[in-house]
Amino acid sequence: MIKISPSILAADFANLGESARRAEQAGVDYLHMDVMDGHFVPNITFGVDVIKAVRAACNVPLDVHLMITEPLRYVEGFVNAGAHILTIHAEACEDVAATLRAIRATGAKAALSIKPATPAEAILPFLELLDMVLVMSVEPGFTGQGFMPESVAKIAAVKRILDEAGVNIPIQVDGGISSANVGDVVEAGASVIVAGAALFRVDDMAAAVREMRSKADSQFS
């Protein structure tokens, strides 16, 4: 069974609390929250206070994706604000291992993300410190981008690395995911699906979640 993590970046920012509750009522597993600093990626979104506000608005675990340079400085703040999972970028840290250890020391789950141009092998030195791997299927920074088909091969490569190492952790995929391509990424090995516009920008979010689960779960039948 896959897990679905709608990206709140595609939600109505004037009504984030209502958007979070809408996702909760639709039966999602996590809420994906993209924190961007305008340095690592060319966009600025939100910080600790917004995480805290969304945490107060719903009971869905928060899947916080730190698209920021040197996230080690902010680990404790985001976990205290309510992050259940903290994802950092392999490309954004001077000391990836120390940052992952710091996340785990707080009791939160630690995940590592790789950009489209970063090879799957970049995760190899950190396998024992990971609770999840995130494969970006668009260039990080903005919502609404088109899915990069070559990401399917990247997911499969990450899955092979994990299987060969005997590491049983989920692979998350983020960027341009919809019911049209979710089957492909799940077949390649992804089991946590981030989707923005495909879920938040439809009239019936619950129906969209059901359709995505159905398309994904058909890969296991």
Side-chain angles (χ1 to χ4, degrees):
M1 175 71 73
I2 66 162
K3 294 186 182 298
I4 294 182
S5 186
S7 174
I8 209 158
L9 199 61
D12 178 2
F13 268 42
N15 297 284
L16 280 185
E18 180 181 335
S19 294
R21 287 187 289 272
R22 180 181 174 222
E24 182 173 21
Q25 291 164 3
V28 305
D29 301 284
Y30 304 118
L31 271 179
H32 191 83
M33 306 195 68
D34 290 309
V35 176
M36 305 180 191
D37 63 1
H39 183 262
F40 177 63
V41 294
N43 194 10
I44 297 173
T45 53
F46 46 75
V48 166
D49 288 342
V50 170
I51 303 294
K52 190 180 299 183
V54 172
R55 169 72 289 146
C58 71
N59 294 313
V60 180
L62 302 185
D63 168 23
V64 178
H65 182 184
L66 299 181
M67 300 185 193
I68 63 177
T69 302
E70 294 305 331
L72 180 59
R73 298 171 291 171
Y74 305 105
V75 165
E76 188 172 342
F78 280 108
V79 173
N80 288 343
H84 177 74
I85 303 168
L86 272 185
T87 300
I88 62 169
H89 269 266
E91 309 88 355
C93 301
E94 184 174 330
D95 192 334
V96 172
T99 308
L100 293 169
R101 290 191 189 99
I103 295 169
R104 283 186 147 193
T106 67
K109 293 184 177 180
L112 186 65
S113 181
I114 50 177
K115 295 168 67 175
T118 301
E121 291 76 16
I123 70 172
L124 276 167
F126 314 109
L127 295 183
E128 65 180 15
L129 299 173
L130 296 178
D131 297 299
M132 186 170 68
V133 176
L134 168 55
V135 176
M136 292 298 300
S137 47
V138 297
E139 287 294 338
F142 294 93
T143 189
Q145 298 181 66
F147 176 76
M148 299 172 70
E150 58 268 32
S151 304
V152 173
K154 173 77 71 65
I155 294 165
V158 169
K159 184 68 163 66
R160 284 194 298 272
I161 288 170
L162 297 178
D163 288 347
E164 288 171 4
V167 176
N168 184 24
I169 60 173
I171 299 171
Q172 184 178 71
V173 61
D174 179 6
I177 304 298
S178 69
S179 59
N181 55 30
V182 69
D184 294 333
V185 299
V186 169
E187 185 177 18
S191 59
V192 182
I193 307 300
V194 177
L199 296 179
F200 273 114
R201 296 180 184 174
V202 296
D203 292 333
D204 190 339
M205 189 174 185
V209 168
R210 288 193 299 271
E211 181 182 12
M212 192 167 285
R213 289 195 193 280
S214 176
K215 292 286 183 67
D217 290 345
S218 68
Q219 300 301 317
F220 301 109
S221 60

